[in-house]
Amino acid sequence: MAIGGIKPEKVPEGLEAGADGIAVMSGILQAKDPAEAAKLFSKKLKVVSKVL
């Protein structure tokens, strides 16, 4: 599990390194638009899971 300071652009790196998932709080809660941030994380997870 990748946790701590995860940003959308780091999702692929964490999962490719062997993490089974990510845990995100500040990346969403501190975003200007939390709903958009959540969508972006979700999109990144879906893209990487298709590749792996």
Side-chain angles (χ1 to χ4, degrees), residues 4-35:
I6 305 297
K7 296 180 181 173
E9 60 271 14
K10 293 291 187 178
V11 170
E13 182 179 323
L15 296 177
E16 290 167 359
D20 291 324
I22 62 169
V24 180
M25 285 185 61
S26 62
I28 293 173
L29 297 176
Q30 293 178 356
K32 290 181 182 179
D33 185 344

